[in-house]
Every structure is written in C-alpha cells, then in structure tokens.
Amino acid sequence: IVMDMFEKGQVLKICAPMVRYSKLAFRSLVRKYNCDICFTPMIVAADFLRSIKARDSEFTTNERDRPLIVQFAAHDAQSLADAACAVAPFSDGVDLNCGCPQRWAMSAGYGACLINKPELVKDMVRHVRNQVDNPNYTASIKIRIHKDLRQTVDLCQKAESAGVSWITVHGRTTEERHQPVHYDAIKTIKDSVSVPVIANGDIKYLRDVESIHELTGVDGVMAARGLLANPAMFAGYEDTPLQCIWDWVDISVEQGTPFTCFHHHLIYMLERVSSQPERKVFNSLSSTSAVIDYLQNTYGSVHDLKT
C-alpha cells in the first residue's frame, strides 16, 4: 500500500522515527492532521529478537495505526530480516537506520557508520526482500550524506540494485548537527536513482513541504522536530491549534500514555505559543490532572472553541 501512495504523485508527508517520541499515541495524533505515513522509533533488531519484554515495550500498534514503517538498527542481514518477518504482519514496511550519528550507535556498528558499508547495506536490503513473503512489504533505508556525494550516490544505487523500495535522505553529514540542510545533495540523489526519495531535515511548516519538493523533486518529506513542536503542521497550521492539544490529552488518557511522555509532548507543543513564566509553571506540573487543569484554566477547553 505504501508504494501505491507514491504512485499517486502527491508529495507524501511522513513522521520521522524519533527516540521516545514517535510512539503509538503520537502517531495517532499526527495521523489526524494529514500525516500520510508514520515511523516507529528506532528499535535495535538484535534486542528485539532476543527478548519478548523488549518486543512488547518497543513495539505497540493498533489496527488504525497504518501505514506504519518499523525502523530497525542492525548490522547484519539475518537479524534485520528476522526482525522484519516478526513485525511484517502488523506493519507495511521496515526501514534500516543508516543515519543515526550518536556515538553509542556508531560504536556498536549501527546507524550512520553503515553509509560507509554499501555492500553490507545491499545485502541487508536483499535479505529482507527475500525473506518477507509479502511482495507489497517495503524495505527502505534512511541515510545521511557523505562529504563526497559520489559515495552517497553509489550507496543509493547499490541499495536500488538490491531492491530497496525507497530512500530517505537526511541532508546533512554525520558531523553536521544544526547546519543548513544540503538540498542540492538531496536533488542529486533523487536524480541518480529511480526509486522514490524522501527529503528529511528542517521541515517546520507545510509551506516547506512544497518548496523542498520544488527544489529537489523528491517524492515526500519527513519531519521530526517540526512535528514535535506542532503535530498539526502537515494540516497547514502555523502553530499547534488548541484542538490538537486536547486531541493529545484524549489520546494519552485513552491509551494510558506514561506521564513523562504525555507532559514532554505538551512542553514541545506549547513552546511557541506560551510565555516564559507560563512555561516555567507548566514544566513543573507533575500529574495528568494538574496538566489538564492548567490547560483548561490557561487556554480554555475544546468546548469553548465550538461556541
């Protein structure tokens, strides 16, 4: 079903894999606001396969949580393929993380160090392709770029030859953190492969989706921090609307979201719309009921919106 979405020709809007944040409750929220595809947070494939406890805590979904891409960190083809087979009945594709720049990931052979191992990436993609028996199940990769872009193009072409379904390009090198995104590099990659390419990096508003599409010709855009700050971004809101804040409260209460996660998301959502003293008070709240009271007293309830 994911590949059919690319066929339709509109630019797909995708929620990035975010450690601790892109879990089921948040995915449920952004799907209400025009997000086309959601990723799970990155899951270490070996741990996932080793323990039932890891599987239950790392991967929760429901029947409305689709299309869903499960992102894995792996450094050998068989564990990635085994993990893919385990989640295939409950998702629409797996994605191999080749972009995480964190030191722990790189030193364990995960994440961004894989962009320097194109043969291994090729092997991993091929294993997933061969071992998941659903032909519509996607096998994608998410990468960062090299300083020498020819290496990145080579990696993407090798992945394509192995049957990669689509490629997400974060337009920075492993060393770069907050520098401007290299959209020209993303365009070069898009022009050098025939599979769909997704642009990732610094998407803050819906208008960025269109301008990046025009700059690069990509088939979709993926947002992380922009969606944390405003989960309704893909629906065209400049800041988080009140309705979206109450939707988050409803979803969190319904799904039993742990307080810290519930609270953290609201801290992000309210950052652009609240003053420093308000933030100070809000950040110190320590229970769901205190948060709900605060929101009602400060912003009013959704019922006030409708009157």
Side-chain angles (χ1 to χ4, degrees):
I1 70 169
V2 175
M3 298 319 286
D4 294 346
M5 293 170 79
F6 283 116
E7 305 279 284
K8 295 200 175 99
Q10 65 257 59
V11 188
L12 294 185
K13 300 185 276 295
I14 302 175
C15 176
M18 292 178 274
V19 178
R20 293 190 303 282
Y21 292 126
S22 50
K23 297 198 164 199
L24 175 61
F26 188 69
R27 299 195 297 266
S28 309
L29 180 65
V30 294
R31 289 184 194 281
K32 285 188 153 205
Y33 291 92
N34 290 9
C35 187
D36 296 312
I37 298 171
C38 291
F39 272 58
T40 67
M42 179 182 84
I43 300 169
V44 177
D47 298 347
F48 185 76
L49 293 167
R50 208 170 16 241
S51 119
I52 291 174
K53 196 160 167 269
R55 286 201 284 282
D56 291 343
S57 71
E58 295 272 358
F59 182 66
T60 41
T61 182
N62 62 28
E63 63 285 350
R64 297 182 302 284
D65 185 31
R66 307 295 281 267
L68 179 64
I69 305 297
V70 183
Q71 195 192 58
F72 284 111
H75 47 51
D76 71 287
Q78 196 52 55
S79 58
L80 179 64
D82 288 343
C85 291
V87 298
F90 315 102
S91 58
D92 301 284
V94 289
D95 185 82
L96 173 62
N97 183 314
C98 305
C100 177
Q102 289 179 316
R103 214 169 280 126
W104 73 266
M106 306 258 294
S107 63
Y110 300 131
C113 67
L114 291 175
I115 63 174
N116 298 316
K117 300 175 181 173
E119 291 300 333
L120 176 59
V121 170
K122 188 172 160 181
D123 195 33
M124 290 162 93
V125 169
R126 190 175 288 136
H127 264 68
V128 173
R129 283 297 224 196
N130 292 342
Q131 288 175 37
V132 175
D133 57 9
N134 171 1
N136 297 317
Y137 199 71
T138 63
S140 54
I141 61 175
K142 182 171 187 290
I143 64 171
R144 282 181 171 247
I145 58 173
H146 297 82
K147 278 199 186 71
D148 177 358
L149 206 54
R150 287 171 303 189
Q151 288 177 269
T152 320
V153 168
D154 174 62
L155 169 71
C156 293
Q157 289 173 341
K158 286 200 163 86
E160 181 177 24
S161 72
V164 83
S165 308
W166 44 293
I167 298 169
T168 302
V169 183
H170 181 85
R172 292 184 175 100
T173 66
T174 309
E175 288 72 43
E176 291 174 324
R177 285 297 178 272
H178 302 293
Q179 289 88 333
V181 173
H182 302 283
Y183 292 114
D184 51 337
I186 298 177
K187 182 184 191 319
T188 301
I189 293 161
K190 170 63 193 158
D191 293 342
S192 63
V193 293
S194 57
V195 294
V197 172
I198 307 295
N200 172 225
D202 283 359
I203 288 129
K204 303 253 186 337
Y205 300 99
L206 184 62
R207 58 178 175 269
D208 300 336
V209 174
E210 205 33 63
S211 57
I212 288 162
H213 171 66
E214 279 170 19
L215 271 175
T216 59
V218 288
D219 306 272
V221 300
M222 177 186 281
R225 285 192 300 253
L227 279 176
L228 278 182
N230 176 10
M233 169 180 84
F234 284 147
Y237 292 92
E238 293 283 297
D239 289 306
T240 312
L242 188 55
Q243 178 70 54
C244 178
I245 288 168
W246 286 111
D247 283 341
W248 172 243
V249 173
D250 290 344
I251 289 167
S252 298
V253 169
E254 184 197 330
Q255 295 190 11
T257 302
F259 176 74
T260 42
C261 175
F262 167 67
H263 191 213
H264 268 158
H265 274 292
L266 286 167
I267 290 172
Y268 280 114
M269 288 182 214
L270 295 170
E271 200 164 12
R272 292 206 293 238
V273 294
S274 57
S275 65
Q276 186 70 40
E278 282 174 339
R279 284 204 293 272
K280 208 170 170 177
V281 173
F282 185 79
N283 295 0
S284 69
L285 300 174
S286 58
S287 73
T288 302
S289 54
V291 166
I292 292 173
D293 286 346
Y294 174 91
L295 292 172
Q296 255 162 350
N297 294 334
T298 314
Y299 301 103
S301 70
V302 180
H303 308 296
D304 305 343
L305 286 175
K306 298 192 168 74
T307 52

